[in-house]
Amino acid sequence: MPAMTDRGPKGATAIAAGLLLLLAACGGDGASESDGAAEAAPGADVASDGAPPLRFPTEGRRPRGEGPPRGEGSAATPTVQEDSEQAPEVTDVRMTAEEAIDRTLTARVEAIVASGVERARVASSGAVTADSSAVAIVAVDAATGRVILRRLSKVALAPASNMKLLTVAAALVTLGADGAFSTRFESNAPVVGGVLDGDLVVRAGGDPMHRREGDGSLDAWIDPLAEALAREGIQRVSGTLVLDEGRWLEPGPGPQWPSPSEHWRDYCALAGGFSANGGCFRATITPTAPGSTATVVLRPRNHGLTRKGRVTTEGRRIAVNVGANRSGVTVRGKIRADASPYRTEFAHPDPVDLFGHAVVGGLAEHGIPIDGGFARARGHAVADARSLHVVETPIQSVLEAILLDSNNPVADQLFLATGAAATDGEGTRQASEKAVQDALARLGVDPRSLVQVDGSGLSKANQTTAEQIAALVAAVVHQRGALREAILAALPVAGQTGSLKNRMRGTVAEGRVRAKTGWIKGSSGLSGVVETLDGREVVFSILVGYPMVDGMNTKAWKPMQDEICTALVEWRAEASR
């Protein structure tokens, strides 16, 4: 069954078709340090795998003996197939197959890149050079669909959290702004004397059941479920809550994730057909009287694990340890008496189990016990089943968590749900990667260089190009409706919000750049939308690949990216003609 509903346009073949044909058709060309708390942690302890130093192509040449990067060469580029039943929201998309490379802008950006690479060389004592790093850039005038800047734009690099932009844009292009996670509760059992005399079956829909604000409670989803069952006259379930995971993947770490020692952290929370609070605990710790036990609120309430540890109100600092595994969940330590409430998130060992315990426990709190608890199943057939309740969560409701907070497990849930929707229920890494590739191909962009194993960019196995990211973002941004507003409203703003709050502040770029940051050791990125001084919009993507040397993102790549954004803000279309 589809993991998402699709109430919006399916017109990915028609959305910004001319703009994206341009990106694909034009000629080919010659991948640390915190971006904010959500992105600093994933690479904190990632060690080098002993691979030889990276060697990337520079502009106009490739290292001797290397063939073209994947996705380049003589193979034909997919073309856009117009579909009269899939009309775009607007009809003013300009069809063009021209580039308008701005030589003045290009020269300025090349100087900025050279300066950034030199800073990296000095800071790394020569370990990072022009030959061992790559800076890929593409910029598109959104009004005309013309590429105004292109540098190594077809070279596949690890995008880090810039992958989240690809995940979100592909979901919006594929499903429309009204797409939603859909989780259906059904049964064929009769209701006798207030008892559902059989099983209550729930079909996987990939909903992360996550809200950015609050304490991690699931009341917003469980309360309506309890009300719906009560309307059906159900006061008790004599059977079992059957969690049908269908063809969704078994929750587990992604390939080339950080080491297992980090898997308890929130950024490594697992994804699957069912989840709750993005597969995480959220603990809120409030000090009490000195020497007393602090108040700990742990959500979701019903989690199925044994609670361990205590937090005392004492000392001069906050020193709290948290973690969870199959044997229990631990919150222990100290918090000073004058501290504000301290909040932290960490991963539950299995999001499906968390969902099952949360629903069974939550319904019991509403006076609807389930005698048999819950059981996991795959392909659980129910003849003549009737729908009792459908939980529909709009995908727009999770975009800020993904783009502004850089929430990894929520991004992974959206990635898998997009794949499930595209394949009628196969929520796997492979199906989801293909769904994104298909979205690119329908838009006229060569998808072959894309390797996407998660929706978050946490894995070093991910590979994409600056062109692919810009293409999907442009397809969404070119709209003049809900698709456009959904993504723009969720992106960090330079000098104001999210991971860009402290970047470009006090420059002409402040408030004019909406973009997703990204960093893991060896990779840095910034992709999004710039508003120029004369009111035009430029979609851009900057990806950097470099040897895994500490300090490079802060000392070299982020300043370089900010300077490039400033150059784009100051770009004037008229002056380029």
Side-chain angles (χ1 to χ4, degrees):
M1 59 165 286
M4 291 172 144
T5 59
D6 179 6
R7 300 188 300 272
K10 297 180 181 177
T13 58
I15 295 174
L19 171 64
L20 295 152
L21 260 177
L22 168 67
L23 280 169
C26 293
D29 39 5
S32 94
E33 306 60 26
S34 170
D35 278 316
E39 293 183 315
D45 297 317
V46 178
S48 171
D49 57 7
L54 302 177
R55 295 191 65 82
F56 292 107
T58 55
E59 188 68 23
R61 78 175 169 84
R62 296 192 178 96
R64 186 176 301 170
E66 289 191 9
R70 288 192 302 162
E72 292 190 42
S74 59
T77 300
T79 57
V80 172
Q81 299 295 322
E82 293 290 299
D83 185 340
S84 61
E85 295 180 357
Q86 297 183 350
E89 291 183 342
V90 295
T91 57
D92 62 349
V93 178
R94 299 191 182 185
M95 304 295 289
T96 177
E98 301 176 2
E99 283 198 349
I101 299 298
D102 187 314
R103 293 183 180 181
T104 301
L105 176 64
T106 297
R108 181 177 177 182
V109 169
E110 285 295 335
I112 293 170
V113 171
S115 178
V117 172
E118 177 62 15
R119 284 196 296 266
R121 187 193 66 78
V122 172
S124 66
S125 300
V128 180
T129 66
D131 283 339
S132 66
S133 60
V135 179
I137 310 169
V138 66
V140 181
D141 180 357
T144 64
R146 292 174 176 172
V147 177
I148 60 172
L149 176 66
R150 182 189 287 279
R151 185 184 201 278
L152 304 182
S153 62
K154 293 180 182 291
V155 175
L157 300 169
S161 280
N162 274 211
M163 184 61 82
K164 293 181 174 73
L165 256 180
L166 207 65
T167 298
V168 166
L172 289 173
V173 166
T174 301
L175 296 160
D178 292 332
F181 301 96
S182 183
T183 308
R184 188 173 75 252
F185 291 78
E186 61 183 33
S187 181
N188 62 357
V191 179
V192 181
V195 177
L196 181 68
D197 193 16
D199 295 335
L200 177 60
V201 180
V202 55
R203 308 294 183 185
D207 193 336
M209 294 191 172
H210 175 274
R211 283 191 171 180
R212 299 178 64 234
E213 306 298 333
D215 61 1
S217 169
L218 300 181
D219 293 347
W221 292 272
I222 293 178
D223 288 355
L225 169 63
E227 293 168 3
L229 296 180
R231 286 195 298 270
E232 295 286 335
I234 299 172
Q235 301 172 14
R236 181 168 66 88
V237 177
S238 68
T240 300
L241 178 69
V242 179
L243 309 182
D244 185 2
E245 298 176 72
R247 294 185 291 153
W248 289 71
L249 87 173
E250 183 70 21
Q256 297 188 40
W257 262 23
S259 67
S261 65
E262 297 182 62
H263 290 179
W264 64 273
R265 295 182 178 272
D266 60 333
Y267 57 78
C268 284
L270 305 178
F274 297 100
S275 187
N277 193 40
C280 286
F281 287 104
R282 186 173 297 180
T284 303
I285 303 162
T286 306
T288 54
S292 302
T293 299
T295 300
V296 177
V297 176
L298 189 64
R299 296 290 184 269
R301 287 189 298 274
N302 303 289
H303 47 73
L305 299 178
T306 302
R307 172 79 179 276
K308 301 177 181 180
R310 62 190 288 261
V311 179
T312 56
T313 305
E314 59 179 312
R316 297 181 178 180
R317 63 191 183 97
I318 299 173
V320 174
N321 296 321
V322 299
N325 54 32
R326 299 286 182 179
S327 68
V329 54
T330 299
V331 182
R332 66 186 179 198
K334 302 175 182 179
I335 185 171
R336 67 177 189 270
D338 62 345
S340 299
Y342 173 73
R343 297 176 178 85
T344 185
E345 286 196 298
F346 53 101
H348 187 284
D350 190 324
V352 179
D353 275 5
L354 177 58
F355 174 90
H357 283 290
V359 173
V360 170
L363 289 178
E365 291 175 346
H366 282 274
I368 307 176
I370 300 178
D371 294 351
F374 73 89
R376 297 168 69 160
R378 291 189 179 273
H380 185 78
V382 179
D384 301 322
R386 66 189 185 282
S387 178
L388 298 175
H389 182 62
V390 179
V391 177
E392 285 201 346
T393 303
I395 62 174
Q396 285 197 42
S397 70
V398 303
L399 297 190
E400 287 191 348
I402 295 172
L403 297 178
L404 193 61
D405 302 336
S406 205
N407 188 300
N408 286 349
V410 175
D412 288 343
Q413 291 288 154
L414 180 60
F415 174 59
L416 296 173
T418 302
T423 59
D424 196 25
E426 186 181 344
T428 64
R429 299 183 193 279
Q430 296 79 8
S432 301
E433 177 189 52
K434 187 176 185 303
V436 179
Q437 290 174 332
D438 287 348
L440 285 166
R442 290 197 303 271
L443 292 165
V445 179
D446 191 338
R448 290 172 298 170
S449 56
L450 176 69
V451 177
Q452 187 171 5
V453 301
D454 60 34
S456 63
L458 179 61
S459 172
K460 288 183 177 292
N462 291 309
Q463 295 278 295
T464 190
T465 68
E467 176 176 286
Q468 289 169 340
I469 292 176
L472 272 176
V473 174
V476 174
V477 170
H478 201 92
Q479 300 305 296
R480 292 293 182 263
L483 282 173
R484 166 190 168 84
E485 296 308 316
I487 199 166
L488 289 182
L491 282 168
V493 179
Q496 297 179 6
T497 62
S499 54
L500 289 181
K501 184 175 182 179
N502 297 317
R503 293 176 61 174
M504 294 172 261
R505 183 177 289 178
T507 72
V508 295
E510 180 175 351
R512 293 180 177 272
V513 178
R514 294 178 179 269
K516 182 72 193 77
T517 58
W519 171 81
I520 54 178
K521 270 192 178 180
S523 303
S524 177
L526 185 68
S527 303
V529 185
V530 160
E531 180 189 357
T532 68
L533 292 176
D534 58 0
R536 300 177 78 89
E537 285 186 338
V538 174
V539 176
F540 74 96
S541 180
I542 308 167
L543 299 180
V544 185
Y546 61 100
M548 290 191 288
V549 178
D550 289 338
M552 295 302 97
N553 200 36
T554 298
K555 295 175 182 177
W557 309 132
K558 289 202 291 187
M560 180 194 73
Q561 292 160 1
D562 293 354
E563 291 173 25
I564 293 171
C565 285
T566 299
L568 292 175
V569 168
E570 293 175 343
W571 173 75
R572 294 183 183 275
E574 290 75 13
S576 71
R577 292 172 183 170

